[in-house]
Amino acid sequence: MHKKLFVTATALAIVGTTLLTAQHAFAQTSDTTQNPMSSLVNKISTKFGLNKAEVQAVFDEEHQAREAEMKQREEQRLSQLVTDGKITEAQKQLILSKRQELMAERQSERENFQKMTEEERRATMEKHSKALQEWAQANGIDPQYLQPMGPKGRGMGGRMFTTERPDAPTMPTE
């Protein structure tokens, strides 16, 4: 049961990563329903009398820098797993390719996901989680190595499941 919850948490972490990555694509639009940061861009440009396009450009540059930084850290983490003998170089490349594939898939499905009810979202995430677990098993990859930033929930808001903070909640069990 712990493994199932862990894989679900992993899938949620990947979804979170994808949503952050998708932000750049949505930053190109001016519609506030499409770009969650556009209202902040509008407020900053209005309050300080700045050109909205220039403020948006700063947000986009920062997002791209953070995205590149995250990608580099993830590649370093996977390289360390190869060095430690936990995965092979081929598995590292499979993980990186799968992550890109999932990110592209999530970007294309983002609008549909927003229109779903909470139950539909949960069912969709569980379906994706199961598919990811099956993919990992078929490729001989321990699902913990799919989670961004390592198995202790340190990536993309996963801190809520870490046990390193005494005040942190623990992962629920059934």
Side-chain angles (χ1 to χ4, degrees):
M1 185 44 121
H2 291 297
K3 192 171 191 173
K4 183 179 177 184
L5 289 171
F6 183 78
V7 172
T8 301
T10 299
L12 290 173
I14 291 171
V15 169
T17 303
T18 302
L19 291 176
L20 284 176
T21 302
Q23 178 184 343
H24 176 69
F26 293 106
Q28 301 302 318
T29 68
S30 61
D31 182 4
T32 58
T33 61
Q34 294 273 335
N35 178 4
M37 296 307 289
S38 88
S39 67
L40 182 58
V41 168
N42 285 336
K43 287 178 184 178
I44 291 172
S45 63
T46 300
K47 179 156 181 117
F48 298 105
L50 301 171
N51 179 306
K52 181 180 172 187
E54 290 174 0
V55 174
Q56 184 65 58
V58 170
F59 271 75
D60 292 346
E61 288 170 22
E62 182 63 20
H63 176 73
Q64 288 173 346
R66 286 178 187 256
E67 189 176 277
E69 196 176 290
M70 264 184 3
K71 184 177 180 180
Q72 181 181 15
R73 281 195 314 262
E74 179 62 5
E75 287 186 24
Q76 288 172 344
R77 182 186 74 83
L78 291 172
S79 292
Q80 187 61 51
L81 290 172
V82 170
T83 300
D84 294 345
K86 301 201 185 233
I87 62 172
T88 65
E89 181 64 33
Q91 288 172 321
K92 171 189 168 184
Q93 294 308 316
L94 283 171
I95 291 169
L96 291 171
S97 295
K98 187 65 169 178
R99 183 153 295 129
Q100 284 299 110
E101 175 190 323
L102 290 172
M103 290 170 67
E105 183 180 309
R106 300 295 190 278
Q107 283 177 342
S108 69
E109 294 178 358
R110 187 174 191 273
E111 188 174 320
N112 282 341
F113 195 77
Q114 289 177 335
K115 293 177 183 176
M116 292 178 184
T117 66
E118 187 64 33
E119 288 178 11
E120 291 171 327
R121 280 189 210 113
R122 187 171 293 121
T124 299
M125 287 188 294
E126 286 177 15
K127 178 181 148 193
H128 285 294
S129 177
K130 184 177 180 182
L132 185 60
Q133 183 177 10
E134 290 170 358
W135 175 88
Q137 185 177 23
N139 287 288
I141 299 171
D142 188 326
Q144 73 174 330
Y145 302 133
L146 300 178
Q147 185 171 352
M149 304 304 293
K152 292 190 179 178
R154 292 187 185 150
M156 303 316 305
R159 277 181 239 109
M160 68 182 282
F161 295 120
T162 186
T163 56
E164 294 178 7
R165 289 186 6 241
D167 62 328
T170 57
M171 185 174 285
T173 58
E174 286 187 12

